[in-house]
Amino acid sequence: MTVQQSEREFLKSDPGQEPVIVEGLFRANPARVFRAFTEPNEVQSWFVPKSGGLVSVDIDLKVGGKWCFVIEKTQEKQIHFEGEYLAIDAPNRLEFSWRHVQEFADGTREATDTSQVAITFTEAGKATEVKLRHEAIKSEDARRGVGGGWNGCFRRLDEIVST
């Protein structure tokens, strides 16, 4: 029995464990997979694992540059992920900080503590091995959510870069 792409399991760490480890082999070269993580129109196509997509994607791809992926935006609030780039070695490595944020119409803001994501892109024949490590997530529940989120995102990423 073969595993369908949509059923592939990319989460390698136990759910809720620190750090969250997600790995996959993608049928594309490292430059193509790296672009999927760093170009707004590419990120828009795979980042949210559920149906639908992001409201907007802003990327300033330089060390110290900021990124922001808006998940939901209403008159009452905006929910997004944000951070800044800590290391960029295209197409081999990418590191950035990460926060989940809710901003409300009254100007108040709720944000998680900052965590860190490190991703390597390694050529493996005609494919690319991607290893993602997301660490410094404070709670087990948050780690479970992040792990499930990255797993779903990698499923969509696999569909996008492999076509």
Side-chain angles (χ1 to χ4, degrees):
M1 185 163 112
T2 60
V3 175
Q4 297 289 323
Q5 280 184 346
S6 62
E7 297 170 357
R8 283 186 63 190
E9 187 64 35
F10 295 97
L11 182 64
K12 302 302 178 195
S13 54
D14 290 333
Q17 293 300 302
E18 167 75 6
V20 173
I21 304 289
V22 186
E23 297 178 356
L25 190 65
F26 298 91
R27 292 171 299 197
N29 65 42
R32 169 68 183 96
V33 183
F34 188 87
R35 274 196 320 272
F37 278 83
T38 57
E39 292 184 5
N41 60 331
E42 296 273 344
V43 171
Q44 187 89 29
S45 67
W46 68 268
F47 185 76
V48 177
K50 298 175 183 150
S51 61
L54 295 170
V55 175
S56 66
V57 175
D58 292 311
I59 293 175
D60 182 12
L61 190 63
K62 64 183 180 192
V63 173
K66 307 246 187 261
W67 64 271
C68 180
F69 303 166
V70 178
I71 300 167
E72 178 185 321
K73 188 171 187 172
T74 65
Q75 288 186 333
E76 294 83 34
K77 69 179 175 181
Q78 174 175 296
I79 301 172
H80 66 265
F81 297 108
E82 67 178 26
E84 74 177 45
Y85 291 102
L86 306 172
I88 301 166
D89 177 16
N92 307 304
R93 193 176 100 240
L94 189 63
E95 294 181 22
F96 49 90
S97 61
W98 174 284
R99 281 177 299 283
H100 180 258
V101 179
Q102 291 188 72
E103 291 180 350
F104 299 91
D106 66 5
T108 58
R109 176 181 160 103
E110 295 175 2
T112 60
D113 290 330
T114 301
S115 56
Q116 286 191 300
V117 178
I119 311 166
T120 58
F121 306 85
T122 306
E123 189 171 346
K126 293 184 178 182
T128 300
E129 181 180 29
V130 177
K131 292 184 177 184
L132 181 146
R133 179 183 179 98
H134 194 153
E135 59 190 339
I137 303 168
K138 299 292 183 192
S139 76
E140 180 179 341
D141 282 348
R143 289 189 294 271
R144 285 181 184 276
V146 166
W150 278 121
N151 191 63
C153 286
F154 269 45
R155 286 180 182 152
R156 291 222 14 216
L157 176 65
D158 189 37
E159 294 169 11
I160 301 301
V161 301
S162 297
T163 54

